[in-house]
Amino acid sequence: EVARRNARPIRCPVTAIVSPTDGIVGFHSTRDPHHADARYIEADVSHTGMGINGRTLRLVVEALTEQ
């Protein structure tokens, strides 16, 4: 199932906000090797702080409003 999903390209832009200091998800696990077009933005924020961190929220708004 996973191999079949990975073989299908994602057809919409993907932006992921990742953190080397997450504390829950290992930083090496934040990259998807099957979808090279994904954009990764690093933010120095904890796992639980992602949803309330001002800079992280601004990054989400910026990613959603880009043309």
Side-chain angles (χ1 to χ4, degrees):
E1 179 65 28
V2 173
R4 190 175 54 169
R5 179 195 62 86
N6 288 336
R8 289 190 319 240
I10 297 174
R11 291 193 167 93
C12 63
V14 173
T15 300
I17 299 173
V18 299
S19 175
T21 59
D22 184 289
I24 304 284
V25 177
F27 190 62
H28 66 280
S29 300
T30 61
R31 307 286 199 247
D32 184 348
H34 301 285
H35 299 100
D37 293 334
R39 181 175 71 153
Y40 299 94
I41 301 171
E42 288 187 26
D44 188 21
V45 63
S46 70
H47 187 83
T48 56
M50 279 235 192
I52 58 171
N53 180 279
R55 180 172 183 274
T56 304
L57 296 174
R58 283 190 296 279
L59 290 170
V60 170
V61 170
E62 289 172 14
L64 290 172
T65 57
E66 286 180 353
Q67 296 293 328

